[in-house]
Amino acid sequence: GLSLVLAFLVARTLTSPIRTLQVASERVGGGDLDLQLPSDQADEFGSVFSAFNRMVLRLQRARRALVRTTRRTEAIVEDAATGVVALDAMGRVILVNARAQDVLEGRVEVGGPMPRFDGPRGEFVEWVEGCLRDGLREATVEFQWGERRIRVRAREVSRQEPGGIVLSLEDITDELRTERILAWGEMAQQVAHEVKNPLTPIKLSVQHIQKAWKDQKGEFEAVLGRNAGAILKEIDRLAEIASGFSRFGAPGPAGDAPLEPVDVGAVAREVLTLYRGGEGGPIDFAADIPEDLPLISARETELKEVLSNLLENARAAIEGKGSVVIEAVKGPTAVEVRVRDNGTGIPVDLLGRIFEPQFSTRSTGTGLGLAIVRKLVESWDGTVAAEVDRGEGTVIRMRLRLWTDGDGIVGEEDS
């Protein structure tokens, strides 16, 4: 009997501190970091309780540091000039700062999904949902919201669960306006430079005519004819310069005319007829365009100008014999039109600059041809890019949207 009593007392002595530790651990796990166990016991559990208390104090310090860091991060994000929205893998908003609320009209709430918007903001939400659905690691797009131009960048938070994305929304309206002002300042300098070049030979020609008239020699008519021809040539050059800068400033004779259905093959054949005028020349102009190519959304007169500019650029890049081909391939929502040449090509490090105003790899011309091409193509909601063609020549690629009549893509069969 005595042994049973002793065993019972020993069991109570051991289980009571263990139970105390269990309850304390559960409370700490629930967030109660103010808990402290009595550590003045003389037995071995005194040292265990002391170690437990030290662990709780370390957790307190770590939580305070985490709270400070979180609050500092939240303050930085809140005061950032860029809008920030964080979404979890299910598309629920877990963070949004004041700048993002301003851009998104204050309709985003933490804990809920992205709100449904009408118009361009609706396109933004669809784009965000597409990024989540497709698992894009990083993507960038720009939206025009009224008079504001917004650049949106999406970046994956983690490739592991639970995932999600962070969106940054940057209002680049003022940036674009500043760039536009600087560009026009540079354009003014370019105009002065381009106009000055023809004026010098015109001035010299007039002086030659004046001198020949003053000398009253028998060769006046020859001098007059020669210099008048030079003057007329330079006047034509001035007219070309003026036309180029005017077209860049306001591309397209149609101005703000609505887009229309355009047959790429018909326009390409019409433009190629002009360049094939001299059959048997050193440059072979050809087209590789399928007969069943659907109509695109553009303006016919502007597409003629775009193709003419690209053919002229390709022709100038070919020294001696060569070929220029206009190709077209249909995609799900766009037609890709390519102008391919086997000319001297463009260095890879310069490919990104060829659509800039003033930029030219030649010593003649205004350097506006490709700048006008880009401006026209983008006015149709298309894109244009350049690349080296397998190490020889250049390919200009244009993605042009398919024409729709409101019910879908014209020429597409119902699925």
Side-chain angles (χ1 to χ4, degrees), residues 33 36 50-65:
L33 298 183
Q36 288 288 293
S50 296
F52 182 87
N53 291 337
R54 289 194 298 272
M55 179 195 72
V56 173
L57 289 174
R58 285 195 296 270
L59 286 174
Q60 281 181 334
R61 289 193 292 268
R63 184 168 71 173
R64 284 196 294 267

Side-chain angles (χ1 to χ4, degrees), residues 12-72:
R12 286 195 60 182
T13 303
L14 291 174
T15 57
S16 179
I18 292 174
R19 175 62 180 165
T20 300
L21 272 175
Q22 180 184 358
V23 172
S25 299
E26 290 175 352
R27 289 176 59 184
V28 169
D32 182 4
L33 298 183
D34 294 325
L35 177 69
Q36 288 288 293
L37 295 178
S39 57
D40 54 355
Q41 294 181 216
D43 58 15
E44 59 273 14
F45 280 100
S47 60
V48 173
F49 286 178
S50 296
F52 182 87
N53 291 337
R54 289 194 298 272
M55 179 195 72
V56 173
L57 289 174
R58 285 195 296 270
L59 286 174
Q60 281 181 334
R61 289 193 292 268
R63 184 168 71 173
R64 284 196 294 267
L66 180 61
V67 169
R68 285 195 301 269
T69 301
T70 301
R71 287 175 177 170
R72 184 167 60 248

